[in-house]
Short mmCIF file of all heavy atoms in Angstrom, two decimals:
data_model
loop_
_atom_site.label_atom_id
_atom_site.label_comp_id
_atom_site.label_asym_id
_atom_site.label_seq_id
_atom_site.Cartn_x
_atom_site.Cartn_y
_atom_site.Cartn_z
N MET Z 1 26.40 15.16 -19.07
CA MET Z 1 25.85 14.77 -17.78
C MET Z 1 25.42 13.43 -17.80
O MET Z 1 24.66 13.00 -18.63
CB MET Z 1 24.78 15.82 -17.34
CG MET Z 1 24.34 15.51 -16.01
SD MET Z 1 23.08 16.93 -15.46
CE MET Z 1 22.02 16.00 -14.53
N LYS Z 2 25.81 12.73 -16.83
CA LYS Z 2 25.42 11.26 -16.73
C LYS Z 2 24.05 11.15 -16.19
O LYS Z 2 23.62 11.83 -15.29
CB LYS Z 2 26.39 10.47 -15.71
CG LYS Z 2 27.78 10.33 -16.37
CD LYS Z 2 28.57 9.36 -15.36
CE LYS Z 2 29.90 9.02 -16.12
NZ LYS Z 2 30.57 8.22 -15.24
N ASP Z 3 23.26 10.08 -16.68
CA ASP Z 3 21.93 9.92 -16.01
C ASP Z 3 22.13 8.97 -14.97
O ASP Z 3 23.22 8.41 -14.59
CB ASP Z 3 21.03 9.34 -17.03
CG ASP Z 3 21.35 7.89 -17.68
OD1 ASP Z 3 22.16 7.31 -17.01
OD2 ASP Z 3 20.79 7.56 -18.72
N SER Z 4 21.15 8.69 -14.16
CA SER Z 4 21.17 7.91 -12.94
C SER Z 4 21.62 6.49 -13.21
O SER Z 4 22.32 5.83 -12.47
CB SER Z 4 19.94 7.81 -12.17
OG SER Z 4 18.85 7.31 -12.98
N TYR Z 5 21.21 5.83 -14.49
CA TYR Z 5 21.66 4.48 -14.75
C TYR Z 5 23.17 4.50 -15.00
O TYR Z 5 23.74 3.46 -14.51
CB TYR Z 5 20.88 4.16 -16.08
CG TYR Z 5 21.29 2.71 -16.64
CD1 TYR Z 5 20.77 1.57 -15.93
CD2 TYR Z 5 22.22 2.52 -17.60
CE1 TYR Z 5 21.14 0.40 -16.27
CE2 TYR Z 5 22.59 1.26 -17.93
CZ TYR Z 5 21.99 0.22 -17.38
OH TYR Z 5 22.40 -1.09 -17.80
N ASP Z 6 23.77 5.45 -15.64
CA ASP Z 6 25.21 5.51 -15.81
C ASP Z 6 25.89 5.57 -14.51
O ASP Z 6 26.89 4.93 -14.15
CB ASP Z 6 25.72 6.60 -16.72
CG ASP Z 6 25.33 6.29 -18.28
OD1 ASP Z 6 25.11 5.15 -18.61
OD2 ASP Z 6 25.14 7.37 -18.94
N THR Z 7 25.33 6.39 -13.51
CA THR Z 7 26.00 6.57 -12.20
C THR Z 7 25.86 5.26 -11.55
O THR Z 7 26.94 4.83 -10.97
CB THR Z 7 25.20 7.73 -11.49
OG1 THR Z 7 25.33 8.77 -12.20
CG2 THR Z 7 25.90 7.87 -10.14
N TRP Z 8 24.69 4.53 -11.60
CA TRP Z 8 24.58 3.24 -10.84
C TRP Z 8 25.55 2.34 -11.53
O TRP Z 8 26.09 1.45 -10.63
CB TRP Z 8 23.14 2.87 -11.15
CG TRP Z 8 22.87 1.63 -10.32
CD1 TRP Z 8 22.63 1.35 -8.96
CD2 TRP Z 8 22.90 0.20 -10.90
NE1 TRP Z 8 22.45 0.09 -8.68
CE2 TRP Z 8 22.69 -0.75 -9.82
CE3 TRP Z 8 23.20 -0.24 -12.22
CZ2 TRP Z 8 22.62 -2.08 -10.12
CZ3 TRP Z 8 23.17 -1.58 -12.41
CH2 TRP Z 8 22.88 -2.50 -11.46
N MET Z 9 25.62 2.20 -12.76
CA MET Z 9 26.63 1.25 -13.38
C MET Z 9 27.99 1.48 -12.99
O MET Z 9 28.76 0.53 -12.66
CB MET Z 9 26.47 1.24 -14.96
CG MET Z 9 25.11 0.72 -15.50
SD MET Z 9 25.00 -1.03 -15.28
CE MET Z 9 26.11 -1.66 -16.53
N THR Z 10 28.35 2.72 -12.94
CA THR Z 10 29.78 3.09 -12.42
C THR Z 10 30.01 2.68 -11.02
O THR Z 10 31.00 1.95 -10.69
CB THR Z 10 30.05 4.49 -12.75
OG1 THR Z 10 29.85 4.81 -14.11
CG2 THR Z 10 31.50 4.94 -12.27
N LYS Z 11 29.10 3.04 -10.19
CA LYS Z 11 29.20 2.67 -8.76
C LYS Z 11 29.16 1.32 -8.47
O LYS Z 11 30.03 0.78 -7.53
CB LYS Z 11 28.03 3.43 -8.00
CG LYS Z 11 28.10 3.20 -6.48
CD LYS Z 11 26.84 3.93 -5.81
CE LYS Z 11 26.92 3.61 -4.46
NZ LYS Z 11 25.71 4.07 -3.75
N ASN Z 12 28.31 0.50 -9.02
CA ASN Z 12 28.19 -0.93 -8.67
C ASN Z 12 28.82 -1.87 -9.79
O ASN Z 12 28.68 -3.06 -9.54
CB ASN Z 12 26.62 -1.25 -8.63
CG ASN Z 12 26.02 -0.54 -7.44
OD1 ASN Z 12 26.55 -0.58 -6.42
ND2 ASN Z 12 25.13 0.24 -7.76
N GLY Z 13 29.33 -1.46 -10.80
CA GLY Z 13 29.89 -2.21 -11.74
C GLY Z 13 28.87 -3.05 -12.50
O GLY Z 13 29.19 -4.13 -13.07
N GLY Z 14 27.71 -2.57 -12.56
CA GLY Z 14 26.51 -3.37 -13.18
C GLY Z 14 25.95 -4.44 -12.39
O GLY Z 14 25.12 -5.06 -12.87
N PHE Z 15 26.44 -4.60 -11.11
CA PHE Z 15 25.88 -5.67 -10.30
C PHE Z 15 25.25 -4.98 -9.07
O PHE Z 15 25.72 -4.00 -8.60
CB PHE Z 15 26.89 -6.60 -9.89
CG PHE Z 15 27.55 -7.29 -11.03
CD1 PHE Z 15 28.79 -6.92 -11.53
CD2 PHE Z 15 26.84 -8.35 -11.72
CE1 PHE Z 15 29.31 -7.45 -12.69
CE2 PHE Z 15 27.47 -9.03 -12.80
CZ PHE Z 15 28.70 -8.57 -13.29
N ALA Z 16 24.23 -5.70 -8.55
CA ALA Z 16 23.62 -5.19 -7.34
C ALA Z 16 24.28 -5.91 -6.19
O ALA Z 16 23.70 -6.59 -5.33
CB ALA Z 16 22.13 -5.53 -7.28
N LYS Z 17 25.53 -5.55 -5.99
CA LYS Z 17 26.29 -6.18 -4.86
C LYS Z 17 25.83 -5.94 -3.42
O LYS Z 17 26.02 -6.73 -2.60
CB LYS Z 17 27.75 -5.84 -5.04
CG LYS Z 17 28.14 -4.40 -4.85
CD LYS Z 17 29.46 -4.16 -4.96
CE LYS Z 17 29.79 -2.61 -4.86
NZ LYS Z 17 31.14 -2.25 -4.98
N ASP Z 18 25.11 -4.95 -3.30
CA ASP Z 18 24.59 -4.47 -1.97
C ASP Z 18 23.20 -4.84 -1.83
O ASP Z 18 22.51 -4.63 -0.89
CB ASP Z 18 24.69 -2.97 -1.81
CG ASP Z 18 26.11 -2.42 -1.79
OD1 ASP Z 18 26.98 -3.25 -1.36
OD2 ASP Z 18 26.35 -1.30 -2.22
N MET Z 19 22.63 -5.55 -2.70
CA MET Z 19 21.11 -6.14 -2.60
C MET Z 19 21.00 -7.18 -1.61
O MET Z 19 21.91 -8.07 -1.56
CB MET Z 19 20.71 -6.66 -4.04
CG MET Z 19 19.39 -7.06 -3.98
SD MET Z 19 18.84 -7.74 -5.53
CE MET Z 19 18.06 -6.29 -6.29
N THR Z 20 20.06 -7.00 -0.81
CA THR Z 20 19.81 -8.01 0.32
C THR Z 20 18.75 -8.92 -0.16
O THR Z 20 18.12 -8.73 -1.17
CB THR Z 20 19.33 -7.30 1.56
OG1 THR Z 20 17.94 -6.67 1.24
CG2 THR Z 20 20.24 -6.25 2.10
N MET Z 21 18.57 -9.98 0.53
CA MET Z 21 17.44 -10.99 0.23
C MET Z 21 16.08 -10.26 0.24
O MET Z 21 15.21 -10.53 -0.60
CB MET Z 21 17.48 -12.14 1.25
CG MET Z 21 16.40 -13.21 0.99
SD MET Z 21 16.80 -14.48 -0.21
CE MET Z 21 18.22 -15.14 0.52
N ARG Z 22 15.96 -9.35 1.13
CA ARG Z 22 14.68 -8.59 1.36
C ARG Z 22 14.47 -7.71 0.10
O ARG Z 22 13.36 -7.65 -0.47
CB ARG Z 22 14.78 -7.69 2.58
CG ARG Z 22 13.51 -7.00 2.89
CD ARG Z 22 13.49 -6.15 4.22
NE ARG Z 22 12.32 -5.59 4.50
CZ ARG Z 22 12.09 -4.31 4.47
NH1 ARG Z 22 13.14 -3.50 4.32
NH2 ARG Z 22 10.93 -3.73 4.82
N ASP Z 23 15.54 -7.05 -0.42
CA ASP Z 23 15.51 -6.39 -1.64
C ASP Z 23 14.94 -7.18 -2.81
O ASP Z 23 14.15 -6.84 -3.61
CB ASP Z 23 16.72 -5.71 -2.08
CG ASP Z 23 17.23 -4.60 -1.01
OD1 ASP Z 23 16.34 -3.99 -0.43
OD2 ASP Z 23 18.59 -4.47 -0.86
N HIS Z 24 15.63 -8.41 -2.90
CA HIS Z 24 15.29 -9.35 -3.92
C HIS Z 24 13.77 -9.74 -3.92
O HIS Z 24 13.03 -9.77 -4.90
CB HIS Z 24 16.22 -10.45 -3.84
CG HIS Z 24 15.91 -11.59 -4.94
ND1 HIS Z 24 16.12 -11.32 -6.27
CD2 HIS Z 24 15.49 -12.86 -4.78
CE1 HIS Z 24 15.83 -12.49 -6.92
NE2 HIS Z 24 15.41 -13.32 -6.09
N TYR Z 25 13.36 -10.11 -2.72
CA TYR Z 25 12.05 -10.53 -2.57
C TYR Z 25 11.06 -9.43 -2.75
O TYR Z 25 9.98 -9.66 -3.39
CB TYR Z 25 11.73 -11.15 -0.98
CG TYR Z 25 12.34 -12.50 -0.88
CD1 TYR Z 25 12.51 -12.95 0.50
CD2 TYR Z 25 12.68 -13.32 -1.88
CE1 TYR Z 25 13.06 -14.15 0.77
CE2 TYR Z 25 13.16 -14.64 -1.65
CZ TYR Z 25 13.39 -15.01 -0.29
OH TYR Z 25 13.78 -16.27 0.01
N ALA Z 26 11.28 -8.24 -2.37
CA ALA Z 26 10.47 -7.05 -2.66
C ALA Z 26 10.27 -6.86 -4.16
O ALA Z 26 9.31 -6.55 -4.66
CB ALA Z 26 10.93 -5.86 -1.88
N GLY Z 27 11.43 -6.97 -4.91
CA GLY Z 27 11.44 -6.83 -6.32
C GLY Z 27 10.60 -7.83 -7.01
O GLY Z 27 9.82 -7.55 -7.92
N LEU Z 28 10.68 -9.13 -6.45
CA LEU Z 28 9.83 -10.17 -7.09
C LEU Z 28 8.38 -9.88 -6.72
O LEU Z 28 7.55 -10.12 -7.68
CB LEU Z 28 10.24 -11.44 -6.60
CG LEU Z 28 11.68 -12.05 -7.02
CD1 LEU Z 28 11.98 -13.32 -6.20
CD2 LEU Z 28 11.74 -12.26 -8.38
N ALA Z 29 8.08 -9.55 -5.60
CA ALA Z 29 6.65 -9.22 -5.21
C ALA Z 29 6.22 -8.11 -6.03
O ALA Z 29 5.03 -8.22 -6.53
CB ALA Z 29 6.62 -8.89 -3.79
N MET Z 30 6.91 -7.03 -6.29
CA MET Z 30 6.51 -5.83 -7.02
C MET Z 30 6.20 -6.27 -8.49
O MET Z 30 5.28 -5.87 -9.13
CB MET Z 30 7.42 -4.78 -6.97
CG MET Z 30 6.97 -3.44 -7.51
SD MET Z 30 8.25 -2.16 -7.42
CE MET Z 30 8.36 -1.83 -5.77
N GLN Z 31 7.17 -7.11 -8.96
CA GLN Z 31 6.99 -7.57 -10.37
C GLN Z 31 5.66 -8.39 -10.51
O GLN Z 31 4.96 -8.27 -11.54
CB GLN Z 31 8.10 -8.46 -10.77
CG GLN Z 31 8.06 -8.87 -12.24
CD GLN Z 31 9.26 -9.83 -12.50
OE1 GLN Z 31 10.11 -10.20 -11.65
NE2 GLN Z 31 9.47 -10.07 -13.85
N GLY Z 32 5.37 -9.26 -9.48
CA GLY Z 32 4.18 -10.04 -9.59
C GLY Z 32 2.92 -9.22 -9.47
O GLY Z 32 1.98 -9.35 -10.17
N MET Z 33 2.95 -8.14 -8.54
CA MET Z 33 1.80 -7.26 -8.49
C MET Z 33 1.51 -6.49 -9.62
O MET Z 33 0.28 -6.31 -10.15
CB MET Z 33 2.06 -6.37 -7.28
CG MET Z 33 1.81 -7.11 -5.92
SD MET Z 33 2.01 -5.95 -4.52
CE MET Z 33 3.64 -6.45 -3.82
N LEU Z 34 2.58 -6.00 -10.29
CA LEU Z 34 2.41 -5.04 -11.50
C LEU Z 34 2.09 -6.09 -12.70
O LEU Z 34 1.50 -5.34 -13.61
CB LEU Z 34 3.77 -4.37 -11.76
CG LEU Z 34 3.97 -3.35 -10.72
CD1 LEU Z 34 5.48 -2.78 -11.00
CD2 LEU Z 34 2.99 -2.18 -10.71
N SER Z 35 2.27 -7.18 -12.73
CA SER Z 35 1.83 -8.05 -13.87
C SER Z 35 0.44 -8.57 -13.73
O SER Z 35 -0.07 -9.17 -14.68
CB SER Z 35 2.90 -9.22 -14.05
OG SER Z 35 2.73 -10.13 -12.96
N ASN Z 36 -0.20 -8.34 -12.61
CA ASN Z 36 -1.65 -8.73 -12.31
C ASN Z 36 -2.48 -7.82 -12.89
O ASN Z 36 -2.66 -6.72 -12.23
CB ASN Z 36 -1.69 -9.11 -10.87
CG ASN Z 36 -3.05 -9.66 -10.58
OD1 ASN Z 36 -3.99 -9.51 -11.30
ND2 ASN Z 36 -3.11 -10.37 -9.44
N GLU Z 37 -3.25 -8.15 -13.94
CA GLU Z 37 -4.21 -7.16 -14.43
C GLU Z 37 -5.34 -6.74 -13.50
O GLU Z 37 -5.83 -5.62 -13.61
CB GLU Z 37 -4.86 -7.70 -15.76
CG GLU Z 37 -3.74 -7.84 -16.88
CD GLU Z 37 -4.53 -8.34 -18.09
OE1 GLU Z 37 -5.70 -8.06 -18.42
OE2 GLU Z 37 -3.75 -8.90 -19.09
N LYS Z 38 -5.73 -7.60 -12.56
CA LYS Z 38 -6.79 -7.34 -11.69
C LYS Z 38 -6.29 -6.28 -10.60
O LYS Z 38 -7.28 -5.55 -10.10
CB LYS Z 38 -7.16 -8.64 -11.00
CG LYS Z 38 -7.83 -9.62 -11.86
CD LYS Z 38 -8.20 -10.76 -11.20
CE LYS Z 38 -8.91 -11.85 -12.21
NZ LYS Z 38 -9.27 -13.11 -11.44
N LEU Z 39 -4.95 -6.08 -10.44
CA LEU Z 39 -4.51 -5.11 -9.46
C LEU Z 39 -4.20 -3.70 -10.12
O LEU Z 39 -4.09 -2.73 -9.42
CB LEU Z 39 -3.24 -5.52 -8.84
CG LEU Z 39 -3.35 -6.74 -7.83
CD1 LEU Z 39 -2.04 -7.14 -7.37
CD2 LEU Z 39 -4.25 -6.26 -6.72
N HIS Z 40 -4.35 -3.62 -11.52
CA HIS Z 40 -3.98 -2.40 -12.10
C HIS Z 40 -4.79 -1.27 -11.64
O HIS Z 40 -4.26 -0.14 -11.32
CB HIS Z 40 -4.10 -2.47 -13.61
CG HIS Z 40 -2.90 -3.19 -14.27
ND1 HIS Z 40 -2.70 -3.23 -15.60
CD2 HIS Z 40 -1.93 -3.90 -13.71
CE1 HIS Z 40 -1.63 -3.92 -16.02
NE2 HIS Z 40 -1.08 -4.35 -14.83
N LYS Z 41 -5.98 -1.39 -11.58
CA LYS Z 41 -6.95 -0.28 -11.15
C LYS Z 41 -6.59 0.10 -9.69
O LYS Z 41 -6.55 1.27 -9.46
CB LYS Z 41 -8.45 -0.63 -11.25
CG LYS Z 41 -9.39 0.37 -10.88
CD LYS Z 41 -10.83 -0.05 -11.02
CE LYS Z 41 -11.69 1.24 -10.69
NZ LYS Z 41 -13.13 0.82 -10.71
N GLN Z 42 -6.47 -0.93 -8.85
CA GLN Z 42 -6.15 -0.55 -7.44
C GLN Z 42 -4.84 0.13 -7.28
O GLN Z 42 -4.61 1.16 -6.49
CB GLN Z 42 -6.11 -1.89 -6.62
CG GLN Z 42 -5.88 -1.74 -5.09
CD GLN Z 42 -5.94 -3.03 -4.35
OE1 GLN Z 42 -6.24 -4.07 -4.85
NE2 GLN Z 42 -5.59 -3.03 -3.13
N ILE Z 43 -3.72 -0.34 -8.03
CA ILE Z 43 -2.46 0.32 -8.03
C ILE Z 43 -2.64 1.71 -8.48
O ILE Z 43 -1.92 2.62 -7.76
CB ILE Z 43 -1.52 -0.47 -8.95
CG1 ILE Z 43 -1.21 -1.88 -8.16
CG2 ILE Z 43 -0.19 0.36 -9.09
CD1 ILE Z 43 -0.42 -2.78 -9.15
N LEU Z 44 -3.29 2.04 -9.46
CA LEU Z 44 -3.45 3.32 -10.17
C LEU Z 44 -4.24 4.29 -9.13
O LEU Z 44 -3.85 5.48 -8.99
CB LEU Z 44 -4.15 3.34 -11.53
CG LEU Z 44 -3.38 2.72 -12.64
CD1 LEU Z 44 -4.24 2.65 -13.78
CD2 LEU Z 44 -2.06 3.46 -12.88
N GLU Z 45 -5.15 3.77 -8.46
CA GLU Z 45 -5.94 4.49 -7.51
C GLU Z 45 -5.09 4.78 -6.26
O GLU Z 45 -5.25 5.87 -5.70
CB GLU Z 45 -7.33 3.73 -7.08
CG GLU Z 45 -8.25 3.89 -8.35
CD GLU Z 45 -9.47 2.95 -7.98
OE1 GLU Z 45 -9.63 2.34 -6.94
OE2 GLU Z 45 -10.44 3.00 -8.86
N ALA Z 46 -4.42 3.84 -5.79
CA ALA Z 46 -3.79 3.90 -4.54
C ALA Z 46 -2.39 4.69 -4.59
O ALA Z 46 -1.99 5.30 -3.59
CB ALA Z 46 -3.51 2.67 -3.82
N GLY Z 47 -1.80 4.64 -5.73
CA GLY Z 47 -0.57 5.37 -5.91
C GLY Z 47 0.69 4.50 -5.69
O GLY Z 47 0.67 3.37 -5.33
N GLN Z 48 1.77 5.11 -5.89
CA GLN Z 48 3.19 4.52 -5.77
C GLN Z 48 3.45 3.92 -4.36
O GLN Z 48 3.96 2.88 -4.27
CB GLN Z 48 4.25 5.50 -6.15
CG GLN Z 48 5.54 4.84 -6.19
CD GLN Z 48 6.66 5.91 -6.57
OE1 GLN Z 48 6.33 6.96 -7.12
NE2 GLN Z 48 7.88 5.48 -6.45
N SER Z 49 2.88 4.63 -3.38
CA SER Z 49 3.32 4.15 -2.00
C SER Z 49 2.61 2.93 -1.70
O SER Z 49 3.20 2.03 -0.97
CB SER Z 49 3.01 5.20 -0.94
OG SER Z 49 1.56 5.50 -1.02
N TRP Z 50 1.47 2.70 -2.25
CA TRP Z 50 0.75 1.33 -1.97
C TRP Z 50 1.54 0.17 -2.51
O TRP Z 50 1.86 -0.82 -1.81
CB TRP Z 50 -0.64 1.34 -2.67
CG TRP Z 50 -1.30 0.09 -2.40
CD1 TRP Z 50 -2.19 -0.20 -1.40
CD2 TRP Z 50 -1.31 -1.12 -3.16
NE1 TRP Z 50 -2.70 -1.52 -1.54
CE2 TRP Z 50 -2.03 -2.06 -2.59
CE3 TRP Z 50 -0.64 -1.44 -4.44
CZ2 TRP Z 50 -2.33 -3.38 -3.13
CZ3 TRP Z 50 -0.81 -2.79 -4.94
CH2 TRP Z 50 -1.70 -3.72 -4.24
N ILE Z 51 2.13 0.25 -3.66
CA ILE Z 51 2.82 -0.78 -4.31
C ILE Z 51 4.15 -0.98 -3.49
O ILE Z 51 4.59 -2.08 -3.22
CB ILE Z 51 3.08 -0.66 -5.80
CG1 ILE Z 51 3.74 -1.99 -6.44
CG2 ILE Z 51 4.04 0.52 -6.13
CD1 ILE Z 51 2.54 -2.99 -6.76
N GLU Z 52 4.86 0.16 -3.16
CA GLU Z 52 6.05 0.06 -2.38
C GLU Z 52 5.79 -0.69 -0.93
O GLU Z 52 6.55 -1.61 -0.65
CB GLU Z 52 6.67 1.40 -2.16
CG GLU Z 52 7.21 2.06 -3.44
CD GLU Z 52 7.43 3.52 -3.18
OE1 GLU Z 52 7.18 3.99 -2.17
OE2 GLU Z 52 7.96 4.07 -4.17
N GLU Z 53 4.84 -0.21 -0.29
CA GLU Z 53 4.65 -0.74 1.10
C GLU Z 53 4.09 -2.22 1.03
O GLU Z 53 4.51 -3.07 1.73
CB GLU Z 53 3.51 0.08 1.70
CG GLU Z 53 3.87 1.48 2.05
CD GLU Z 53 2.80 2.39 2.56
OE1 GLU Z 53 1.58 1.96 2.70
OE2 GLU Z 53 3.03 3.57 2.66
N SER Z 54 3.30 -2.50 -0.11
CA SER Z 54 2.94 -3.89 -0.24
C SER Z 54 4.16 -4.82 -0.55
O SER Z 54 4.14 -5.95 -0.20
CB SER Z 54 1.89 -3.98 -1.32
OG SER Z 54 0.71 -3.21 -0.92
N ALA Z 55 4.89 -4.32 -1.36
CA ALA Z 55 6.07 -5.10 -1.84
C ALA Z 55 6.99 -5.50 -0.59
O ALA Z 55 7.43 -6.60 -0.47
CB ALA Z 55 6.82 -4.51 -2.89
N TRP Z 56 7.27 -4.51 0.31
CA TRP Z 56 8.05 -4.64 1.31
C TRP Z 56 7.34 -5.57 2.40
O TRP Z 56 8.00 -6.44 3.00
CB TRP Z 56 8.51 -3.38 2.08
CG TRP Z 56 9.40 -2.65 1.22
CD1 TRP Z 56 9.30 -1.36 0.71
CD2 TRP Z 56 10.77 -2.97 0.84
NE1 TRP Z 56 10.44 -1.02 0.10
CE2 TRP Z 56 11.38 -1.87 0.16
CE3 TRP Z 56 11.57 -4.14 1.13
CZ2 TRP Z 56 12.60 -2.00 -0.35
CZ3 TRP Z 56 12.77 -4.07 0.57
CH2 TRP Z 56 13.37 -3.10 -0.16
N ALA Z 57 6.09 -5.53 2.54
CA ALA Z 57 5.28 -6.36 3.42
C ALA Z 57 5.33 -7.81 3.03
O ALA Z 57 5.48 -8.67 3.79
CB ALA Z 57 3.88 -5.89 3.47
N VAL Z 58 5.24 -7.94 1.59
CA VAL Z 58 5.35 -9.32 1.16
C VAL Z 58 6.78 -9.92 1.40
O VAL Z 58 6.97 -11.01 1.65
CB VAL Z 58 5.00 -9.47 -0.41
CG1 VAL Z 58 5.37 -10.81 -1.04
CG2 VAL Z 58 3.52 -9.15 -0.58
N ALA Z 59 7.86 -9.13 1.02
CA ALA Z 59 9.14 -9.49 1.36
C ALA Z 59 9.36 -9.92 2.81
O ALA Z 59 9.93 -10.98 3.05
CB ALA Z 59 10.18 -8.42 0.97
N ASP Z 60 8.90 -9.05 3.65
CA ASP Z 60 9.08 -9.40 5.22
C ASP Z 60 8.25 -10.74 5.52
O ASP Z 60 8.84 -11.51 6.38
CB ASP Z 60 8.51 -8.24 5.92
CG ASP Z 60 9.36 -7.07 5.95
OD1 ASP Z 60 10.55 -7.08 5.54
OD2 ASP Z 60 8.87 -5.90 6.23
N ALA Z 61 7.21 -10.90 4.97
CA ALA Z 61 6.41 -12.31 5.18
C ALA Z 61 7.28 -13.36 4.64
O ALA Z 61 7.24 -14.54 5.26
CB ALA Z 61 4.99 -12.16 4.55
N MET Z 62 7.83 -13.26 3.39
CA MET Z 62 8.61 -14.38 2.91
C MET Z 62 9.77 -14.71 3.76
O MET Z 62 10.19 -15.80 3.99
CB MET Z 62 9.01 -13.93 1.43
CG MET Z 62 7.82 -13.78 0.51
SD MET Z 62 8.31 -13.25 -1.18
CE MET Z 62 9.16 -14.61 -1.79
N LEU Z 63 10.49 -13.57 4.29
CA LEU Z 63 11.65 -13.81 5.11
C LEU Z 63 11.14 -14.54 6.47
O LEU Z 63 11.97 -15.37 6.95
CB LEU Z 63 12.29 -12.50 5.36
CG LEU Z 63 13.10 -11.94 4.28
CD1 LEU Z 63 13.60 -10.59 4.54
CD2 LEU Z 63 14.35 -12.91 3.89
N LYS Z 64 10.14 -14.08 7.06
CA LYS Z 64 9.52 -14.69 8.19
C LYS Z 64 9.23 -16.25 7.96
O LYS Z 64 9.66 -17.07 8.81
CB LYS Z 64 8.31 -13.93 8.69
CG LYS Z 64 7.72 -14.39 10.00
CD LYS Z 64 6.61 -13.53 10.35
CE LYS Z 64 6.06 -14.08 11.79
NZ LYS Z 64 4.86 -13.24 12.22
N ALA Z 65 8.66 -16.53 6.90
CA ALA Z 65 8.33 -17.81 6.58
C ALA Z 65 9.69 -18.72 6.27
O ALA Z 65 9.75 -19.85 6.82
CB ALA Z 65 7.49 -17.93 5.32
N ARG Z 66 10.53 -18.11 5.80
CA ARG Z 66 11.84 -18.68 5.46
C ARG Z 66 12.60 -18.98 6.82
O ARG Z 66 13.15 -20.09 6.92
CB ARG Z 66 12.68 -17.84 4.56
CG ARG Z 66 14.06 -18.31 4.25
CD ARG Z 66 14.74 -17.31 3.31
NE ARG Z 66 16.09 -17.72 3.13
CZ ARG Z 66 17.09 -17.25 3.85
NH1 ARG Z 66 17.01 -16.39 4.73
NH2 ARG Z 66 18.35 -17.72 3.44
N ASP Z 67 12.54 -18.11 7.67
CA ASP Z 67 13.15 -18.20 8.88
C ASP Z 67 12.43 -19.29 9.85
O ASP Z 67 13.07 -19.81 10.80
CB ASP Z 67 13.28 -16.91 9.75
CG ASP Z 67 14.30 -15.99 9.08
OD1 ASP Z 67 15.16 -16.43 8.27
OD2 ASP Z 67 14.23 -14.82 9.31
N ALA Z 68 11.20 -19.49 9.67
CA ALA Z 68 10.34 -20.39 10.48
C ALA Z 68 10.68 -21.91 10.18
O ALA Z 68 10.45 -22.70 10.95
CB ALA Z 68 8.95 -20.09 10.32
N LYS Z 69 11.36 -22.13 9.04
CA LYS Z 69 11.66 -23.60 8.67
C LYS Z 69 12.65 -24.09 9.52
O LYS Z 69 13.60 -23.55 9.97
CB LYS Z 69 12.03 -23.56 7.23
CG LYS Z 69 10.91 -23.44 6.32
CD LYS Z 69 11.28 -23.66 4.92
CE LYS Z 69 10.08 -23.59 3.98
NZ LYS Z 69 10.37 -23.92 2.69
#
């Protein structure tokens, strides 16, 4: 039985061809938040939905700022 990584690799050929700029920005925001030691306690207390919602909010703000130029 294939795991989800193998399935993803087969489907996408190893590339995130369907990734949007918003997806990319959200991933960068999430990486930054998770690497911040000061946020660890808040993330653990708030749970997974907090980090997801926050990452998408940051991505949306980055796109808004990008479009404003």
Side-chain angles (χ1 to χ4, degrees):
M1 185 172 144
K2 290 185 173 186
D3 64 17
S4 61
Y5 179 77
D6 287 337
T7 303
W8 180 84
M9 288 292 284
T10 301
K11 179 181 175 188
N12 295 304
F15 300 100
K17 64 181 179 183
D18 296 329
M19 180 181 265
T20 65
M21 178 87 60
R22 184 175 184 247
D23 295 329
H24 178 68
Y25 285 161
L28 292 174
M30 189 178 297
Q31 182 180 12
M33 286 183 251
L34 292 173
S35 68
N36 184 334
E37 290 184 29
K38 293 179 182 179
L39 286 177
H40 281 191
K41 184 177 179 183
Q42 184 176 354
I43 291 168
L44 292 174
E45 290 174 356
Q48 183 177 351
S49 63
W50 181 87
I51 192 79
E52 292 168 354
E53 291 168 9
S54 298
W56 288 119
V58 170
D60 291 340
M62 291 172 76
L63 288 170
K64 184 176 179 182
R66 180 179 175 262
D67 291 341
K69 286 187 175 185

